[in-house]
Amino acid sequence: RLVVYEKDSPAFNEREHELHILKRFSVDAAPEGLFLVMQPIMSLHAPYESLNFEVLLRMYRPDNSIESAWRIINTAEKNGRIALIDRWVLTQVLEWVERHFDKLERTRFVSMNLSGGSLNDEKFVEDAFAIIARHPRAASRICFEITESVAVIDIDNTLRFVNRIRDFGAKVALDEFGVGYTSFSYLNSLSADVLKI
């Protein structure tokens, strides 16, 4: 039952990197250096009819290089900090849409991911609705992406969340459709606006 690790093993390097990211979180706030970029979503048939976006998370490292999103999200999820990031992203996106609302005539939705860890965190869910309520006009342009595997783990909880955000005029996308538990039966109850295959 002896376990031997090499000093520079990838597992140690990965954990050390994770700890560096974790040090940048405070008790109740997302880490410094986070920023958002928006990837355009356009129709190939009519590219100029609408200009929608998907919000992507990024973070500057101390040396001003950019940390990969999957590493930030993985670290936050593994260490119970993902709701801090989702709360920050939601606030930033709603404030941005609110500020630029009149210039976004061709934007039907700005899409953002919600982590399963956040959706199962009652405190985050209540905070999210409070944030959305402060920006009702902007909320009508938001599309919340929920991964299929998260949606079907607790379908009742997902439905409650979906129905409440729809009250604000927000849309719902089912992300990574077909990767895991695909079942067309729950699509009727979720009635997603978008399927991302």
Side-chain angles (χ1 to χ4, degrees):
R1 296 184 185 266
L2 180 67
V3 178
V4 178
Y5 286 98
E6 290 181 30
K7 182 180 175 189
D8 292 322
S9 113
F12 279 129
N13 292 335
E14 186 61 35
R15 182 62 182 153
E16 184 180 14
H17 198 91
E18 195 176 287
L19 289 171
H20 284 299
I21 292 172
L22 209 51
K23 280 182 195 170
R24 299 180 68 183
F25 281 84
S26 73
V27 174
D28 59 354
E32 288 183 22
L34 287 181
F35 67 99
L36 302 174
V37 294
M38 292 194 185
Q39 175 175 286
I41 301 170
M42 301 166 70
S43 163
L44 293 176
H45 295 291
Y48 301 107
E49 277 184 20
S50 68
L51 182 57
N52 304 306
F53 302 96
E54 179 171 0
V55 174
L56 304 173
L57 182 69
R58 301 287 184 263
M59 183 172 78
Y60 287 112
R61 294 182 182 125
D63 66 359
N64 281 334
S65 61
I66 296 173
E67 189 65 72
S68 64
W70 71 266
R71 189 166 287 192
I72 304 162
I73 292 164
N74 261 7
T75 299
E77 284 180 337
K78 280 168 57 177
N79 294 281
R81 303 293 182 88
I82 194 64
L84 294 173
I85 289 180
D86 280 350
R87 195 177 286 113
W88 182 87
V89 171
L90 179 60
T91 301
Q92 298 300 311
V93 171
L94 285 167
E95 287 175 357
W96 184 85
V97 171
E98 190 73 48
R99 272 195 315 276
H100 298 94
F101 194 88
D102 295 330
K103 297 175 185 170
L104 297 171
E105 299 129 0
R106 293 189 301 129
T107 301
R108 288 183 294 208
F109 63 89
V110 175
S111 186
M112 60 167 286
N113 285 282
L114 280 181
S115 153
S118 295
L119 281 175
N120 292 319
D121 177 341
E122 285 300 318
K123 169 92 171 89
F124 169 81
V125 170
E126 290 310 311
D127 288 350
F129 289 125
I131 294 165
I132 292 167
R134 290 196 297 268
H135 304 281
R137 188 168 75 144
S140 68
R141 296 279 175 93
I142 301 298
C143 180
F144 291 95
E145 291 188 17
I146 303 169
T147 59
E148 179 193 16
S149 55
V150 168
V152 297
I153 285 173
D154 188 348
I155 193 83
D156 293 333
N157 190 40
T158 303
L159 276 172
R160 278 192 299 277
F161 181 80
V162 166
N163 290 334
R164 280 188 70 186
I165 61 170
R166 284 234 167 93
D167 290 343
F168 290 97
K171 296 171 183 59
V172 176
L174 204 53
D175 198 8
E176 298 177 12
F177 183 75
V179 171
Y181 305 92
T182 304
S183 164
F184 291 100
S185 61
Y186 66 79
L187 282 180
N188 286 332
S189 52
L190 276 176
S191 62
D193 300 289
V194 178
L195 287 181
K196 294 185 73 179
I197 300 171

